[in-house]
Amino acid sequence: MSAARVALLSFHTCPLAPTGEGKAGGMNVYVREVSRNLGRAGVPVDLFTRSHAGHCQGVTNLEDNVRLVHLEGGPETAAPNELYPYLESFLEGLVAHARQEAVRYRLVHSHYWLSGWIGQRLSSRWRVPHVVTFHTLGDVKMQAKAGERESDQRGSVERELASGAHLIIASSPHEEDALVHLYDADRGRIEVVPCGVDLSIFKPLDIGEARKRLGLNGERVVLYVGRIEAIKGVDLLLKSAAIMDGKDSLKVLVVGGDATRGGEVRRLKGLAEELGIGQVMEFVGMVDQSLLPLYYNAADVCVVPSYYESFGLVALEALACGTPVVASRVGGLPTVVQHARTGYLQSWRCPEPFADSLEVILGSKVLRNSMSREARKRAEGMGWEMVAEETSRLYDSL
Ligand code: UDP
């Protein structure tokens, strides 16, 4: 195959941003890991993102074959929903950069709708195929009814991409169906490639050792990991913990968000007090991803109570560590969690069924051990190198 480079666009957020707080989460991990693994597989990648605090303009090598290029793209502190007016100038900056370096790209792969807007125009100018991965879809987020609002621009750009991109990579069959039914996309141009996990980091460790390192004693440990925002549904976890039998011997760890400043974390702490579980809760704040395996391994069960997840990397990371998962049956989560085998999926957003599932898992060591074995088995074969291999095969098919 030709060694011409792939232009990968992650306009609004840097793949190296620390994850677990604000808007930096699964997509950052995805873009970072897929590009690294493409590079390792011999597919040269230039990854373009906008300049931000701590990273001025310039080119950094992420791996052999993988370069990260920061270009100017609006005020450094702007939120994603303020960035639409800066797409045009980022596009022009990118075209100028490629011209100056005399690099030709074989295709453009955009991540999220903002990058998609740029990618669609680059694809026409350079006459190369355009691949889009949406990560989340505006209409689906609104349908999830977590109180979020999306701009009209987002809807119209997503529709333009659904009909105009040469290939859409969806991370679950749910996303594929949403694209077909809500966006009128042609199923023939969608390929489902589930997300991956770094199996060399996320793996079973000695549970006693993990607990010791985290200062945990004999408690039954329930874990939440993720950004802290309304769509993650952390309220439901708190309400479930509050009605569980023997809740006083529980420890509920909430990893992610800003434990000191974040408004949503403050609200959740208040809710925990109201529910009488202030002592049970520990808001840990954001943890570097390299330390997360300790948390997953120290936990008896991981909870993903989201209103919507296009995939749900946290669930897969927990399974890779051999930790059963209780999750809401939404979006991509049923692709990750096998009901009654590696955890439980709940269709109702009510505390009772979540509390029941947690009690069942916490109440039986035999069940936990069996789910744990099945969980790791499920995650094996879902390494990022597989995702990159499949992505590279799709690039070649264009
Ligand atoms: N994460 C992290 N530190 C934290 C909390 C989360 O590194 O304190 C990472 C986590 O390992 C996962 C990602 O953030 O890879 C969250 O991805 P997910 O798909 O679960 O949710 P999203 O952020 O895409 O909504």
Side-chain angles (χ1 to χ4, degrees), residues 18-30 32 135-136 195 202 224-227 229 231-232 255-257 285-290 292 296 304 306 308-317 384:
T19 46
E21 210 248 313
K23 294 286 171 199
M27 188 189 126
N28 305 67
V29 173
Y30 182 101
R32 183 187 76 211
H135 296 274
T136 62
C195 298
F202 293 102
Y224 168 86
V225 175
R227 295 176 299 108
E229 56 175 46
I231 201 154
K232 295 292 183 180
V255 172
M286 185 181 172
V287 168
D288 189 85
Q289 217 191 21
S290 61
L292 283 180
Y296 290 123
V304 186
S306 310
Y308 168 54
E309 285 293 338
S310 58
F311 183 76
L313 281 183
V314 160
L316 182 56
E317 291 163 359
W384 286 115

Side-chain angles (χ1 to χ4, degrees), residues 190-210:
I190 307 174
E191 292 283 343
V192 177
V193 182
C195 298
V197 61
D198 186 338
L199 292 162
S200 66
I201 297 176
F202 293 102
K203 61 184 179 193
L205 304 171
D206 183 277
I207 183 166
E209 185 57 32

Side-chain angles (χ1 to χ4, degrees), residues 11 83-94 117-118 121 125:
F11 166 71
L83 288 172
Y84 187 76
Y86 304 100
L87 296 178
E88 184 88 53
S89 63
F90 186 86
L91 166 69
E92 295 308 331
L94 204 164
W117 185 97
I118 301 164
R121 281 144 190 86
R125 287 213 201 171

